[in-house]
């Protein structure tokens, strides 16, 4: 599920209102989640929309523990190269970004509010599952990003 989301994110094929409007599946490309009047493209939906912004910048703050000058575009392109070596290279960062953005996207898509505390709860649950796998060594890194 996460891999599918990340592929759609990287290829910019998530069904944003802008994308659906271009394929005549929506009457308007304007974001209906906020009052900005902006086109609901991928960057707006995940970064600049007032409903998504708190979660995105919380996630960005967590990533900046390992990549101090990380940009929004680097995160959206998963161009995440830590300043210092991490166990399993960039995997903890990509895992964190993927799970946060996937949770955020699912909430937007289902018309649910994007409350940060709920998304943190989702990520905590995913970390609990991760502990039971061969990738449990990245849990400490992910937990440090969650706690910012």
């Amino acid at each position: 599920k996460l891999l599918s989301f990340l592929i759609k994110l990287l290829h910019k094929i998530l069904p944003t209102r802008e994308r659906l409007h271009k394929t005549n599946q929506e009457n308007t490309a304007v974001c209906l989640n906020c009052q900005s009047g902006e086109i609901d493209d991928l960057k707006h939906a995940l970064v600049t929309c007032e409903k998504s912004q708190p979660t995105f910048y919380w996630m960005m703050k967590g990533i900046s523990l390992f990549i101090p000058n990380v940009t929004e575009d680097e995160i959206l392109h998963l161009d995440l190269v830590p300043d210092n070596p991490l166990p399993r290279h960039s995997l903890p960062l990509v895992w964190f970004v993927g799970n946060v953005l996937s949770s955020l996207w699912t909430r937007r898509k289902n018309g649910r509010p994007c409350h940060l505390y709920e998304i943190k709860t989702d990520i905590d649950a995913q970390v609990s599952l991760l502990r039971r796998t061969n990738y449990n060594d990245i849990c400490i890194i992910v937990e440090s990003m969650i706690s910012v």
Side-chain angles (χ1 to χ4, degrees):
K1 183 178 171 184
L2 181 59
L3 183 57
S4 175
F5 171 80
L6 290 173
I7 288 170
K8 290 174 186 176
L9 174 69
L10 289 174
H11 290 281
K12 299 179 181 169
I13 58 174
L14 286 168
T16 60
R17 292 194 64 78
E18 176 193 43
R19 184 168 171 75
L20 294 173
H21 181 68
K22 285 181 181 176
T23 59
N24 296 320
Q25 296 177 44
E26 288 290 340
N27 293 330
T28 180
V30 174
C31 179
L32 300 179
N33 290 318
C34 68
Q35 304 300 318
S36 70
E38 290 186 41
I39 299 296
D40 190 37
D41 60 7
L42 191 60
K43 191 163 187 175
H44 176 78
L46 296 175
V47 181
T48 61
C49 180
E50 65 186 40
K51 303 295 182 180
S52 304
Q53 206 172 45
T55 298
F56 188 87
Y57 286 109
W58 163 77
M59 176 190 65
M60 191 171 180
K61 190 174 178 183
I63 295 293
S64 69
L65 294 173
F66 302 97
I67 308 172
N69 297 315
V70 69
T71 66
E72 296 166 350
D73 289 331
E74 286 172 333
I75 291 173
L76 291 177
H77 295 125
L78 300 180
D79 185 15
L80 304 171
V81 181
D83 285 356
N84 297 309
L86 294 174
R88 300 185 191 261
H89 309 289
S90 296
L91 180 62
L93 305 177
V94 171
W95 186 94
F96 182 62
V97 168
N99 277 285
V100 170
L101 293 181
S102 176
S103 182
L104 182 61
W105 178 260
T106 300
R107 289 177 185 288
R108 283 181 62 92
K109 183 178 75 171
N110 294 335
R112 295 174 52 206
C114 302
H115 298 301
L116 180 56
Y117 69 90
E118 290 178 341
I119 291 174
K120 282 183 179 182
T121 302
D122 290 348
I123 303 306
D124 282 334
Q126 293 300 320
V127 169
S128 293
L129 292 173
L130 189 63
R131 284 191 188 289
R132 299 182 208 146
T133 70
N134 291 336
Y135 296 98
N136 62 4
D137 56 337
I138 69 172
C139 289
I140 293 171
I141 295 165
V142 173
E143 286 172 335
S144 69
M145 290 185 281
I146 292 171
S147 66
V148 294

